[in-house]
Amino acid sequence: MRILHTADWHLGKLFYGSYLTEEQDYVLKHQFLPLIKDEGIDAVVLAGDVYDRSLPPTEAVALFDEIATKITAELKVPFLVISGNHDSAARLSFASRLLSSQGLYIAGELERMTGPVWLDDEDGPVAFLLAPYAEPAVVRHFFGDDSLRSHQEALAALLSWQQGQIPQGMRTVCAAHAFVAGGLAGDSERPLSIGGSDQVGSDLFTSFSYTALGHLHGPQQITTPTIRYAGSLLKYSFGEARQKKGAVVVDLDGKGKAHPVFHEFTPRHDVRIVSGSFEAVMAATDDRPDDFILVRLSDQQPILDGMAKLRRKYPNAMALEMPNRNTEAGGQRDFNLRQSTGQELFDSFSKAMRPDQPLTEAEEECVRQLWKELEKRQEGSSL
């Protein structure tokens, strides 16, 4: 059986005030769906965080509906989805029992789950255990077991309940949305809890042929190649700029041996960090100026109207950082606000903004005329 493992789509994600739905649409339609067809995928597993928030925008819901329909109705491939900590389990699992007859298996609310999903290939059945993200209190209530207090205990109980329905020696695939100890977290994942109690041990997954994890956005394996995170669909922060994004194609043979291979996606607009002096950045040749850019300048002196100038070259420049900016003066100037004239204040300001480019004679004359006009108006208003 050939399985496609994906995770953390975060449909409807806001990135510096702009929705990324069009970027997600591009990758899903032009790379994800063709991968399913080209690789002869037998089942698709989405390991949580379908949406970026519990009440997603309508465009995000429409996109998921379109992709799910293409996978199940057009490509005739079973699609197994679990809810993540960003999703509303109740909304995502609406009509899940009805949809399962169409090849769309959604595990969200625990009360709607009926156990493992069984899919067949030429070597027999494969059991898919679906473990959506659930707070320990939710799992505790579901099982009526007051001893389930931690994420480790809750997930262990959820998996044990499903494993009890699987015959010994059966090939198994687990899909879970969790923070597995040893995983490398980034700066765009929402914490599951405070103080590290959200982490679970990788030993929970050692008995499965393959474990498809979601939650951490960097693609990575945990202890073995068969316990792994596919990573997020796109880069969702500049902290992820160096990460590769894609999905994992897993070949599961008749003996239960899994052979995963990562397939990288190329976004329509990449997320990149451009570094250097302002002059060097503006002069450098860049063949992808429409990418989402964070500009990190090495200049020590402020750049007047720097972001506006950068956006002439990079229209999607999102942020500007100047880690070396000179702040030794602590924000204080060498003048007294109460004793300085308006023109003296302006002169000090212009020197701070243009330390290497003093005002020309024409500019100084223009400033003098402006101050004279302002002083006349001030005198006239006081009469």
Side-chain angles (χ1 to χ4, degrees):
M1 180 175 291
R2 179 163 280 189
I3 303 161
L4 182 59
H5 168 202
T6 182
D8 296 278
W9 287 7
H10 290 274
L11 301 181
K13 175 74 174 180
L14 269 172
F15 186 66
Y16 286 82
S18 300
Y19 284 107
L20 292 177
T21 311
E22 291 184 2
E23 308 299 319
Q24 295 162 332
D25 180 285
Y26 174 83
V27 169
L28 287 169
K29 291 180 179 177
H30 294 277
Q31 298 187 53
F32 182 78
L33 290 176
L35 183 63
I36 297 175
K37 185 176 180 180
D38 296 343
E39 292 293 324
I41 299 298
D42 299 305
V44 178
V45 176
L46 173 50
D49 282 351
V50 177
Y51 300 111
D52 191 57
R53 57 180 185 269
S54 58
L55 189 59
T58 55
E59 295 82 4
V61 177
L63 178 57
F64 178 68
D65 176 71
E66 183 179 2
I67 298 302
T69 300
K70 289 182 180 295
I71 293 172
T72 57
E74 296 183 16
L75 298 177
K76 306 296 183 183
V77 175
F79 189 19
L80 300 91
V81 182
I82 64 173
S83 62
N85 60 302
H86 281 250
D87 298 310
S88 165
R91 290 190 178 95
L92 190 63
S93 56
F94 175 76
S96 57
R97 293 175 183 174
L98 176 64
L99 293 171
S100 63
S101 63
Q102 308 300 315
L104 178 57
Y105 303 91
I106 298 178
E109 281 190 311
L110 303 185
E111 289 77 7
R112 295 176 184 265
M113 294 174 57
T114 57
V117 174
W118 303 86
L119 299 178
D120 294 299
D121 63 7
E122 62 273 13
D123 294 304
V126 177
F128 287 79
L129 290 80
L130 306 182
Y133 172 77
E135 292 284 351
V138 174
V139 181
R140 187 164 61 245
H141 175 75
F142 176 70
F143 287 111
D145 185 349
D146 195 55
S147 68
L148 303 176
R149 293 290 168 175
S150 67
H151 283 264
Q152 172 85 13
E153 294 166 341
L155 184 55
L158 190 58
L159 294 176
S160 177
W161 167 62
Q162 297 189 61
Q163 284 178 300
Q165 306 175 47
I166 301 173
Q168 190 74 19
M170 184 71 63
R171 293 178 296 164
T172 54
V173 174
C174 175
H177 194 87
F179 190 168
V180 182
L184 181 62
D187 61 354
S188 64
E189 300 101 351
R190 180 187 299 168
L192 302 181
S193 67
I194 304 300
S197 62
D198 56 342
Q199 296 189 20
V200 302
S202 60
D203 57 299
L204 291 177
F205 310 108
T206 54
S207 63
F208 302 118
S209 304
Y210 181 78
T211 299
L213 295 171
H215 179 58
L216 299 185
H217 289 183
Q220 56 194 289
Q221 68 179 46
I222 306 296
T223 65
T224 72
T226 59
I227 304 174
R228 64 190 305 140
Y229 288 95
S232 56
L233 184 69
L234 295 172
K235 299 174 183 179
Y236 291 130
S237 74
F238 286 108
E240 299 177 18
R242 294 182 179 274
Q243 292 180 1
K244 295 181 179 180
K245 301 298 180 179
V248 181
V249 174
V250 185
D251 281 312
L252 184 64
D253 65 24
K255 296 181 180 181
K257 295 293 184 181
H259 308 277
V261 177
F262 182 78
H263 288 251
E264 186 177 356
F265 294 152
T266 302
R268 184 174 64 166
H269 298 116
D270 200 1
V271 172
R272 297 190 289 128
I273 299 175
V274 175
S275 302
S277 68
F278 179 79
E279 182 179 357
V281 167
M282 295 301 290
T285 301
D286 196 324
D287 59 357
R288 298 200 63 175
D290 292 331
D291 285 344
F292 298 113
I293 302 293
L294 180 152
V295 181
R296 187 169 289 151
L297 297 180
S298 59
D299 301 78
Q300 293 186 347
Q301 299 299 327
I303 306 299
L304 184 62
D305 205 16
M307 182 59 84
K309 293 175 180 176
L310 286 167
R311 282 179 174 161
R312 295 171 191 168
K313 179 175 181 178
Y314 296 111
N316 290 324
M318 297 294 172
L320 171 61
E321 294 180 356
M322 297 186 67
N324 299 326
R325 182 170 176 175
N326 188 354
T327 58
E328 293 179 359
Q332 297 181 1
R333 303 297 184 192
D334 56 355
F335 55 83
N336 187 303
L337 288 175
R338 293 184 179 179
Q339 298 179 1
S340 300
T341 66
Q343 176 131 13
E344 288 173 338
L345 290 174
F346 180 83
D347 290 342
S348 177
F349 172 77
S350 66
K351 290 176 182 178
M353 292 296 99
R354 290 168 50 174
D356 300 324
Q357 186 181 354
L359 296 179
T360 65
E361 292 184 4
E363 288 172 332
E364 289 181 346
E365 179 61 27
C366 180
V367 170
R368 281 194 293 269
Q369 294 300 324
L370 286 172
W371 281 117
K372 288 180 180 180
E373 181 65 26
L374 289 172
E375 289 170 353
K376 288 181 179 179
R377 292 183 183 181
Q378 187 175 13
E379 291 175 358
S381 62
S382 62
L383 294 176

